[in-house]
Amino acid sequence: MTQSESIRPGSVIEFKDKKGILLAVCQRAEGSSVRILTEAGKEFSYPAEKIANVTSHLLDPGKSPPELKNQLETIRNRVAEMVGSIDLQDLWEFFAEATEDGVSLTEMSQTYFGDEENTDQRSAMLRALHYDALYFKRKGDLYVPKSQEAVLETRRQIEEQERKLQEKNTAVAWFRRARIGQAAERPGSLDRQIELLKGAAIFREEAPHYKEAAELLRDLGEEAPEGAFGLLVEIGEFDRDENLLLMREQVPTRFSSAAVEEARGFDVDALIQAAAEKGLGPLPVPGRDRQPDGSALRADLRSLEAFSIDDADTREIDDAISLEVIPEGFRLGVHIADVSEFVAPDSLLDAEAVRRATTIYLPDQILPMLPEAIAHEAASLRAGVDRLSLSLLAEFNSDLELVRYLFTPGVIQVRHGLTYEEAGARCQAGEEPMGTLLALCQKLREARVQRGARIFERAELKVRVSPDRSITIKRREGEGPGDIVISELMIFMNQLAGQFCADLGLPAVYRVQPPPNEEVSAGAAGPVSRRLLSLVKKIQVTTSPGPHWGLGLPAYAQMTSPIRRYLDLVVHRQIKAGIGFSGTPYDAARLLELIGATEAGTDAANTIQRWSNKYWLLECLSNRDGQTLPAMIQEIRDETYLVRLPEYLLDIPFYAPAGKKYQLGEELEVRIKAIDSRKGILKVQAAQRR
């Protein structure tokens, strides 16, 4: 007779549940199931084949459920007292060598308690085997002894689980005390729990040990993973403005001591002196002094009246410009910091720069691509000191038409630095050389437009945060004269860099932009709209020259910001090799490797900058909670609108009041309803007119 066949009304059975092994009394059979009343007082049908054990106890099924429940509890308590006395190790040692097929529960119980074992002892054995999985594994109705290696591994796992549980309980108690200001000294075991919380805050559900972190948060009454960040702020582990994306993207925020030491080891004056001993060449003449035979000298350009145009707080000064009057017309100089003299290919500093790919500019901090000793000092074209440059000298006739050009390494001294506003004022006043430079740059732009360039109007916000969290927002509407000069001269130099490499057949880091699928008129394309952005295709970075649709250029190789963009530094090296000054040019395969190596860093920098700017904008707006703001309908959707807050250049979803319809471009006032800076959420509603 099978176990299920022995069940009749009143039989006490045992079955497995999430809570463990439970007792129940059979009330009646129902085909392949039995109707049972459990020791917890619950009544339901249960599959007969899943019953773990049928005891010899037989209760009166006619008694009331409370009476039956009490009888089951008496049996349970009696069995529970026996479980602690069972030593499964003795059984394991007995059966380990005797069988590999497995042992039944009855044989286990009789071996341990003797042939006269009773039903309660068998129940106790069932529970012992269920709760202690160290020595035996279940295989159907049998129990198979584990190997010695498996026992040791299981014991290690159990001890590890117990250790983690103890650590978690200690952490929960410490966090609870910390929240009411009564935290004792932080125990060493808390470090791992804090790392778990950091993982949940940074990587959310993707964190390596997210389940452990989620369990810890639940024990503390917090939602997972959202509660992790707030808890870490509470205990001072994170700042309230912590930039988690920096950690998620694993962006290095400090340089190794070795990299800092290497950067500090450069003596610019000594480098210039070494170049002078080798022989500084005179001011070269485009069209005459190109020396691709390896004999090119660094040119002495310190006689030029060079100056820089940058923001007032810029310390990474990549570029400077000069303009001379010559008999044929003008000689333009665009001078770029020669970073390649400080960062050799495959050096420690080179590896650091590849890893970062670019300088990251955030409202509250700047994370440079290179150590400050180079970025702010040795390479930066600061006024009043001699610096190394890679310079473009381009001659124009009196009609401002390009006649000839050359690239040359140089030694330069910037005479003074201007802000964009100061440069713009000099342009408007007609002061030289700014007046001529503006006219030249306008002509360069017109030439690009003739070739199909699109000039987009784009307002810009610069958000800055001081150490005391004071937020300042500076808005720039379109381009001023100073912006046009720098923008066009940098585009011009990058254009000639692309042309130079293409003419020599040198692979370079070219930026190619295919045309959109829909026509966009050349010239002034107006403000940048979401529709326009949807049409414009992404710029492709490749080693072969190709047209750049937006700039209206046949080839474009960016090289004007080598202090803060690694691929610009790569183009520097390529040009210096091309003019025969130093090094062997990269081949296309190596360039592709470097492009790939910097792609993730560049993408991460863009993502982090967007998030950080929006975070601090919303933090600024949080001070205006409940206030009204001007807005404009930017886009009409099925059930919502997209409105722009012109003051902050923010586009956000907007739900119109019931029955209200808006037109594209319509102006309105909205009131701030809710802000979550960390999630990038700003909710507004229509402001009621008074």
Side-chain angles (χ1 to χ4, degrees), residues 35-296:
R35 191 72 179 175
I36 61 174
L37 174 72
T38 72
E39 61 183 270
K42 295 181 179 180
E43 186 177 339
F44 52 84
S45 296
Y46 191 82
E49 63 181 14
K50 290 188 176 182
I51 292 173
N53 182 39
V54 180
T55 74
S56 300
H57 295 295
L58 190 64
L59 305 182
D60 183 356
K63 289 188 176 182
S64 67
E67 288 180 299
L68 292 171
K69 181 173 176 290
N70 287 337
Q71 288 181 306
L72 290 174
E73 287 178 354
T74 299
I75 297 172
R76 182 197 65 198
N77 293 337
R78 191 167 60 241
V79 169
E81 289 179 2
M82 298 181 185
V83 173
S85 65
I86 298 175
D87 187 346
L88 291 180
Q89 184 173 354
D90 288 346
L91 276 172
W92 174 71
E93 290 173 353
F94 179 81
F95 285 112
E97 301 296 333
T99 180
E100 294 181 356
D101 297 329
V103 189
S104 68
L105 175 63
T106 300
E107 186 178 357
M108 283 272 217
S109 182
Q110 290 178 348
T111 300
Y112 192 81
F113 292 109
D115 292 341
E116 301 302 321
E117 51 91 39
N118 60 47
T119 192
D120 286 349
Q121 290 171 331
R122 188 173 303 178
S123 294
M125 180 62 68
L126 175 67
R127 282 163 171 74
L129 289 165
H130 177 78
Y131 293 117
D132 186 349
L134 178 59
Y135 297 104
F136 295 90
K137 61 182 177 182
R138 185 77 180 266
K139 185 179 180 181
D141 291 332
L142 301 178
Y143 295 88
V144 180
K146 291 183 179 180
S147 67
Q148 185 172 5
E149 293 78 11
V151 168
L152 290 174
E153 176 58 22
T154 303
R155 181 178 286 128
R156 187 196 66 76
Q157 292 175 0
I158 292 171
E159 290 172 352
E160 178 67 10
Q161 290 172 355
E162 290 174 349
R163 182 188 65 78
K164 288 181 178 179
L165 179 61
Q166 180 60 41
E167 280 186 2
K168 188 193 73 168
N169 292 338
T170 300
V172 168
W174 188 90
F175 281 126
R176 285 174 176 164
R177 289 195 300 270
R179 284 179 147 176
I180 59 175
Q182 296 180 359
E185 183 178 348
R186 180 184 293 187
S189 62
L190 194 66
D191 292 345
R192 183 175 181 276
Q193 306 301 313
I194 288 176
E195 289 305 310
L196 288 175
L197 291 176
K198 284 183 177 180
I202 296 165
F203 299 103
R204 300 179 65 81
E205 290 86 350
E206 298 173 12
H209 303 286
Y210 176 73
K211 287 185 178 179
E212 284 186 72
E215 185 178 340
L216 174 59
L217 287 166
R218 282 193 295 270
D219 287 349
L220 289 165
E222 296 286 350
E223 290 290 327
E226 283 77 10
F229 179 78
L231 184 57
L232 290 165
V233 172
E234 277 189 65
I235 66 171
E237 197 68 31
F238 276 167
D239 183 81
R240 60 177 288 193
D241 302 312
E242 200 78 44
N243 193 326
L244 299 183
L245 271 179
L246 286 174
M247 303 177 200
R248 185 179 180 87
E249 298 293 342
Q250 299 181 338
V251 174
T253 57
R254 291 182 176 84
F255 290 95
S256 66
S257 56
V260 171
E261 192 65 28
E262 184 175 325
R264 288 175 177 168
F266 291 103
D267 184 335
V268 180
D269 291 336
L271 290 173
I272 294 172
Q273 180 61 36
E277 291 173 359
K278 182 179 178 182
L280 286 176
L283 186 67
V285 177
R288 186 193 70 191
D289 291 336
R290 179 174 295 177
Q291 296 170 296
D293 58 355
S295 61

Side-chain angles (χ1 to χ4, degrees), residues 507-508 542-544 574 585-597:
T542 178
T543 59
S544 300
Q574 207 72 338
Y586 293 109
D587 60 23
R590 179 56 179 154
L591 285 180
L592 286 173
E593 289 177 3
L594 292 173
I595 291 170

Side-chain angles (χ1 to χ4, degrees), residues 396 440-448 488-489 492:
F396 295 81
L440 170 61
C441 290
Q442 288 170 334
K443 186 151 188 173
L444 290 172
R445 176 168 289 190
E446 289 168 8
R448 289 197 300 110
E488 288 302 323
L489 291 183
F492 178 64

